[in-house]
Amino acid sequence: MSSITTQTTVGEIVRARPGRSRIFEKLGIDYCCGGKKPLAELCQAKGLDPATVVAMLSAFDGAPETSAPDPDAMSLAALCEHIERVHHDPLREELSRLDFLTRKVAAVHGDHEPRLVELRKVFMEFNAAMSSHTDEEESQIFPAIRQLESAGYVKGNGSSLKASLDKLESEHDRVGAALVQIRALTDNHTSPEWACNTFRALYDALAGLEQETHQHIHKENNVLFPRALAVA
């Protein structure tokens, strides 16, 4: 779309790039029911400077891609820290956001599109599983892996780790299956033409969740866990 102005409606702004909904949510701007109103009007109602909000949106659009770190080049402790900071912490925030979005969209549109009710159910199961999973990793598994490294890679120090990692990988498989189910329920994260902006923001977020979870699990299954077992 053309550059954003203060007279662009917030609905147009989010429709062109659903991820911009994150900016509006942080600012408390209603981009769904108030989607036909220009940005300037909604900023005035919230006591916000429209030019500042435009700058925030432009910064979101123009954020440069950062080079991804190499997990294999990290120590085990650094890789655990990286996974917690880059994946676990943002995941918790996003799951909370998605809990709200799936509940709202199912409540508003579930009668018209019954799959949204099933989507809500699948997401709730995914949310519970990932929350428990990441808590277990941070409270039990990652400390054990860090201990392996601090013990100087002495063979035998982590002999009990394999069963725990096998369990985590089985949970990863179930998470992956849930993501496949979510993709099927959402027509590959493609919202229908009649969808409101909250609906569109939900599907955009679910697409991002899938991509992020794939990166997250890759670093654990294919990098962290094998390296930890190699020195256990």
Side-chain angles (χ1 to χ4, degrees), residues 57 71 83 96 118 121 128 134-136 144 151 159 175 190 226 232:
L57 292 164
I83 290 171
S96 177
E118 179 66 14
K121 178 183 176 183
T134 54
D135 286 348
E136 179 182 0
S159 58
V175 164
T190 304

Side-chain angles (χ1 to χ4, degrees), residues 63-71 73-74 82 85-87 215 219:
E65 294 290 337
T66 56
S67 57
D70 179 5
M74 301 178 188
H82 168 82
R85 177 175 51 83
V86 174
H87 297 290
Q215 295 172 2
K219 290 175 185 177

Side-chain angles (χ1 to χ4, degrees), residues 65-69 71 79 82-84 86-88 90-91 126 130 172 175-176 179 207-224:
E65 294 290 337
T66 56
S67 57
L79 183 50
H82 168 82
I83 290 171
E84 290 174 351
V86 174
H87 297 290
H88 288 189
L91 175 65
F126 178 94
M130 283 301 284
H172 286 165
V175 164
L179 290 173
L209 177 70
E210 179 183 287
Q211 181 180 17
E212 163 61 23
T213 302
H214 286 167
Q215 295 172 2
H216 175 182
I217 290 177
H218 161 72
K219 290 175 185 177
E220 293 184 352
N221 279 8
N222 301 323
V223 184
L224 179 63

